[in-house]
């Protein structure tokens, strides 16, 4: 990865991080992230077990 690409990626991440922190506290971000991970894991296991809602 070139130096310029690395700077652009870091700048994009910093912008999104700033926007999140303006809307939510760190604790809320952790809860939202954890819920998202649990939802993905649930869908993954449902697909493996071929469970239909």
């Amino acid at each position: 990865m070139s130096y310029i690409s690395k700077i652009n990626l870091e700048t994009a991440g910093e912008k999104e991080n700033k926007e999140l922190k303006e809307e939510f506290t760190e604790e809320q971000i952790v809860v939202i992230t954890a819920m998202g991970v649990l939802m993905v894991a649930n869908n993954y296991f449902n697909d493996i077990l071929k469970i239909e809602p």
Side-chain angles (χ1 to χ4, degrees):
M1 179 181 302
S2 72
Y3 180 72
I4 293 174
S5 297
K6 187 175 180 182
I7 291 173
N8 289 340
L9 287 174
E10 289 174 356
T11 303
E14 290 171 4
K15 180 183 176 188
E16 292 168 353
N17 191 22
K18 183 179 176 184
E19 290 174 1
L20 274 175
K21 286 187 175 184
E22 287 175 356
E23 291 290 324
F24 303 104
T25 66
E26 286 188 25
E27 293 159 347
Q28 290 172 324
I29 294 170
V30 170
V31 169
I32 292 168
T33 304
M35 290 299 299
V37 170
L38 289 173
M39 291 172 68
V40 169
N42 187 46
N43 288 339
Y44 179 72
F45 284 107
N46 285 344
D47 288 345
I48 290 173
L49 298 174
K50 297 181 180 175
I51 296 174
E52 295 294 326

